[in-house]
Amino acid sequence: MMAISGVLIILLVFVGVIVIVALWAIGMYNRLVTLRNRVDNMWAQIDVQLKRRYDLIPNLVETVKGYAKHEKETFENVTKARAACMSATTPAQTAQAEGMLAGALKSLFAVAEAYPELKANQNFLQLQGELSSTENQISGTRGTYNETVREFNTSLQLFPANLIAGMFGFAPKDFFKVDSAEERQAPKVQF
């Protein structure tokens, strides 16, 4: 009788340990899924703001075109940069394309500087304000995205969560970073 109860206790302890480990693994898996979904959601938020900016740019170009018909190359560069941004699929590609767009927009605003009547145009001023607001939203969302990526990537690397991450194929996410100091600056939209 004593031998049976000792075996039963060992069996119950063993089953208890297995249940605890299984519950821990389920909890860790669910945490990683939650973090991954947060990263994906934050990227979607950046995408929404970038789309808003890309939608504003053609209107801005058309407004400036009406005043500066001989600046064809500047307009083409803005259009090409916008297209590159819209076709980017990863944070790294997007960051590179955003740098090109920032430079093209700086050129566009430099052209606008030469036309005082354009700077007073109500449509141009409204577009300028919307673009400035969008730039601020993009900046804030990028910061939140990168913080979320940091939290996710850290969780993937910490022991013992890295065991669960490896078993279920969780991979680190890329930060949204811009390579050069010039590209890090939002285009100036003040005149």
Side-chain angles (χ1 to χ4, degrees), residues 36-53:
R36 181 184 61 199
N37 289 342
R38 270 194 223 152
V39 169
D40 292 343
N41 178 54
M42 288 311 305
W43 181 251
Q45 296 301 316
I46 288 175
D47 208 31
V48 164
Q49 296 305 321
L50 293 175
K51 172 79 169 96
R52 181 172 184 243
R53 183 209 279 161

Side-chain angles (χ1 to χ4, degrees), residues 156-173:
L156 292 182
Q157 296 169 353
L158 293 176
F159 181 81
N162 61 349
L163 301 175
I164 299 296
M167 286 190 318
F168 291 102
F170 288 92
K173 299 285 187 172

Side-chain angles (χ1 to χ4, degrees), residues 22-40:
L23 289 174
W24 169 83
I26 290 168
M28 187 56 59
Y29 175 83
N30 288 342
R31 176 169 164 38
L32 292 174
V33 167
T34 300
L35 289 172
R36 181 184 61 199
N37 289 342
R38 270 194 223 152
V39 169
D40 292 343

Side-chain angles (χ1 to χ4, degrees), residues 1-12:
M1 187 81 157
M2 187 113 158
I4 292 177
S5 67
V7 169
L8 184 60
I9 290 173
I10 291 173
L11 184 60
L12 287 175

